[in-house]
Amino acid sequence: MRRMLALALAGLAVLGGSGAAAAESTARQWLERMTEALATRDYDGLFTHAAGNQSETMRIVHRMEDGRSVERLVSLDGNGREIVRTPGEVHLYMPDRRVVLVEPRRDEGSLLKTLPAPGPELDSLYTLELRKGHRLLGREVRVVDVRPRDHYRYGYRLWLDERSAMPLRSEVLDGSGSTVEAIHFTRLAIDEPIDPKDLQPAVDTTGFQWIRAGRRAEARVAGPPSAGWLPRKMPPGFRLVVSRSQPVPGSPIPMQHLIFSDGFASVSVFIEPAAEKGPAPPESASVGSANAFTTQMSGHVVTAVGEVPAETVRDIATSLAPVATGSPPATPPTGPGER
Amino acid sequence: MTDQIREQISALLDGELASGEISLLVRRMERDAELRRAFGHYVLAGESLRAPGALLASPGFAARVGAALDDGPVEVAVAPTADARSPRRWARPLAGVAVAAGAALAAVLLVPAGERSGNRLAGSGMGSVQVNAPILPAGGASPTPAQNQRLAGYLVAHGQYASPIGRRNAWSAALAADPGITRVALETAERP
């Protein structure tokens, strides 16, 4: 809440500037409201998720419990996969694989303050526009266009409910304005009572394999990385915001997870020891608006994943290099008090 | 599937189903894989026909989708109109969506990394998995289930640190990632 207040005040300060700046500030305030609403409101919705040449219907249920969000996202088509975020863990149920992947929840405490949030720095990376939209789901709508100033990030078009700022429709756009991914709600109940049963998985996990990530993971706000991997050159605006390490079964060397953000988009980099059978050529993959790129360097496998163009995850992955602890990073890290 | 369920699905997609009935229908869909597939077909048909300026259904499209509701596996094809600007343009259920009953309406797109040949993607974002196991196969083929699982793990791990809307996009992609989908190239789409 303190962060949101600070962001709102920052936005109001800009309102005193030029007309264009004022318009952008207003759009940014809507983005801030949207971020707050997604994280803190109770809601239950059905939406169509579409990417590439496919479309899928999903349900999302989000509720605040004792100040913490719990959430369930379930595919209603075909594979029946679900993600359930409990107060302590995140579970990915994969009935098609008869597997449940489990990760400790990572957004506790001071780390929350470092997660991507729209702030005044967005102006140098994106142009923001706000306009009135046509009604959706019987609600008055504001449309926020977020256009990148360069090719390192995607644009967004967001249709926000005027009353709650919840996104009723969102599209991710590439540099040519083509839609990469879209989410359209067909139903959205906001701040209505949510039955706790709706937050429970519908999957019968009898006989499933449970795969748990390391519980001894150490996550911290980015500073001089303990593991000594740093970016030599980053795309403009991206900063290291979180660095964490996690044990890898069978390996004395922990996996490192670095998170870079420009305040709106983010990229994760996973660094793991490589197998002994020699280097593999780089490869990339795309799922929705998320792109992944993997390469090997210095005996490690480096994989970058994020909701940014393929070139950006490639550039970030290939910019990393092992360095001696204490060497300055190419991009100043964000401290815990800056957001 | 009964006529009543058909009407409920149609009303749901039109935003005309009562709140209480929505909850019942959604819970039923969560338990009933056949109903989920049928719902997917309805969405495919409805969204394809509504996609503004992007797609036209091929002849017989609606009839075949309708038949699919009763008859099981079906293949349908829709084609881009002349103003469709690029293969990646937003145009839900796109070219030649092979909607075999039992297959999720989801996509995993494989993108070449430079001059791609014999490429592999290795590693994992989640815990007890093999180090340096390939994530994607060589030559741009669909990933195996194990590779797909690893990619979903990355997306879940990444989503924990993304913005709320970034997390929703990443996790939606993790749910949609399904290597069982047959991808059909735009060039093979049937012209209306």
Side-chain angles (χ1 to χ4, degrees):
Chain A
M1 182 60 73
R2 187 175 59 186
R3 180 180 64 168
M4 296 311 301
L5 179 60
L7 291 172
L9 290 174
L12 287 172
V14 180
L15 270 175
S18 67
E24 291 195 343
S25 172
T26 303
R28 190 169 64 242
Q29 286 177 318
W30 276 96
L31 292 180
E32 292 161 4
R33 286 187 60 200
M34 176 195 73
T35 300
E36 179 91 357
L38 282 167
T40 62
R41 306 292 288 257
D42 290 355
Y43 48 91
D44 183 351
L46 288 178
F47 64 87
T48 303
H49 170 267
N53 62 354
Q54 302 288 352
S55 170
E56 187 160 0
T57 301
M58 298 185 184
R59 180 188 186 188
I60 187 169
V61 184
H62 182 276
R63 189 171 81 154
M64 297 303 292
E65 291 182 358
D66 300 326
R68 302 206 64 192
S69 63
V70 291
E71 190 171 31
R72 176 173 172 240
L73 185 63
V74 54
S75 165
L76 296 177
D77 296 334
N79 64 21
R81 288 184 183 181
E82 299 192 27
I83 292 176
V84 177
R85 190 161 61 136
T86 71
E89 292 180 327
V90 179
H91 298 173
L92 169 59
Y93 296 87
M94 307 176 76
D96 50 322
R97 297 275 300 146
R98 298 182 65 76
V99 159
V100 183
L101 300 182
V102 182
E103 268 229 339
R105 191 159 161 169
R106 310 289 191 193
D107 58 350
E108 293 89 354
S110 61
L111 284 176
L112 186 61
K113 299 184 180 67
T114 71
L115 298 184
E121 70 274 14
L122 279 187
D123 292 350
S124 64
L125 305 173
Y126 300 89
T127 61
L128 307 178
E129 288 185 12
L130 178 69
R131 57 189 165 86
K132 181 80 174 175
H134 296 296
R135 285 165 62 88
L136 288 175
L137 303 179
R139 302 165 193 261
E140 298 295 329
V141 165
R142 292 293 182 118
V143 180
V144 179
D145 281 317
V146 182
R147 297 193 183 91
R149 294 185 186 274
D150 58 35
H151 62 280
Y152 290 109
R153 56 211 102 227
Y154 284 132
Y156 293 80
R157 180 164 295 155
L158 304 159
W159 287 257
L160 307 182
D161 173 25
E162 277 197 350
R163 295 187 62 177
S164 67
M166 284 288 293
L168 305 179
R169 177 180 295 183
S170 60
E171 295 182 351
V172 181
L173 308 169
D174 67 14
S176 66
S178 300
T179 305
V180 175
E181 181 178 49
I183 287 178
H184 294 188
F185 274 88
T186 55
R187 174 189 180 251
L188 182 61
I190 303 170
D191 291 339
E192 294 181 5
I194 291 176
D195 189 332
K197 287 187 298 187
D198 290 331
L199 289 157
Q200 299 299 315
V203 179
D204 178 1
T205 58
T206 303
F208 279 32
Q209 179 188 8
W210 290 68
I211 300 175
R212 293 183 177 275
R215 287 191 167 278
R216 291 181 289 124
E218 294 180 0
R220 61 193 183 89
V221 174
S226 59
W229 283 80
L230 289 174
R232 289 170 298 190
K233 181 182 179 184
M234 291 291 289
F238 281 94
R239 299 182 297 181
L240 181 65
V241 293
V242 175
S243 167
R244 55 181 281 254
S245 61
Q246 172 177 311
V248 176
S251 170
I253 306 173
M255 180 189 76
Q256 294 169 62
H257 182 182
L258 309 178
I259 297 94
F260 301 89
S261 171
D262 71 355
F264 202 80
S266 57
V267 174
S268 285
V269 179
F270 304 93
I271 304 164
E272 304 164 81
E276 294 179 355
K277 55 186 176 184
E283 187 166 275
S284 62
S286 174
V287 183
S289 60
N291 281 287
F293 182 91
T294 286
T295 187
Q296 287 195 21
M297 59 181 72
S298 303
H300 288 74
V301 178
V302 177
T303 302
V305 178
E307 65 274 19
V308 294
E311 295 77 9
T312 305
V313 288
R314 180 199 61 200
D315 288 355
I316 289 177
T318 56
S319 81
L320 289 171
V323 296
T325 301
S327 298
T331 308
T334 303
E338 294 184 24
R339 269 194 234 264
Chain B
M1 188 171 62
T2 66
D3 288 342
Q4 181 187 8
I5 296 295
R6 290 178 198 273
E7 290 172 7
Q8 285 183 329
I9 291 176
S10 180
L12 173 63
L13 293 175
D14 290 340
E16 295 174 353
L17 191 62
S19 178
E21 290 182 277
I22 291 174
S23 297
L24 290 175
L25 180 60
V26 169
R27 287 181 184 176
R28 181 169 178 172
M29 275 195 285
E30 290 174 356
R31 296 191 306 268
D32 187 338
E34 183 183 359
L35 182 55
R36 289 200 298 268
R37 288 194 291 271
F39 184 69
H41 288 311
Y42 263 94
V43 171
L44 174 65
E47 296 298 331
S48 293
L49 296 174
R50 281 198 293 267
L55 293 173
L56 289 175
S58 60
F61 170 79
R64 278 183 283 167
V65 172
L69 300 180
D70 293 322
D71 299 339
V74 63
E75 288 193 359
V76 295
V78 290
T81 55
D83 66 339
R85 289 172 294 179
S86 81
R88 290 208 74 182
R89 180 183 178 187
W90 164 237
R92 255 164 310 176
L94 221 285
V97 185
V99 189
L105 300 179
V108 176
L109 304 179
L110 306 183
V111 182
E115 295 299 320
R116 180 196 190 110
S117 65
N119 292 344
R120 301 193 323 147
L121 187 63
S124 168
M126 311 241 345
S128 53
V129 291
Q130 295 177 349
V131 174
N132 203 26
I135 275 195
L136 298 177
S142 293
T144 67
Q147 293 162 340
N148 176 269
Q149 174 180 316
R150 213 154 279 124
L151 189 56
Y154 278 133
L155 291 168
V156 171
H158 169 67
Q160 293 220 59
Y161 296 95
S163 65
I165 198 161
R167 176 168 58 244
R168 193 183 61 183
N169 286 348
W171 285 3
S172 296
L175 297 187
D178 188 336
I181 292 298
T182 301
R183 290 174 290 121
V184 180
L186 261 180
E187 292 72 21
T188 66
E190 184 179 345
R191 287 287 175 188

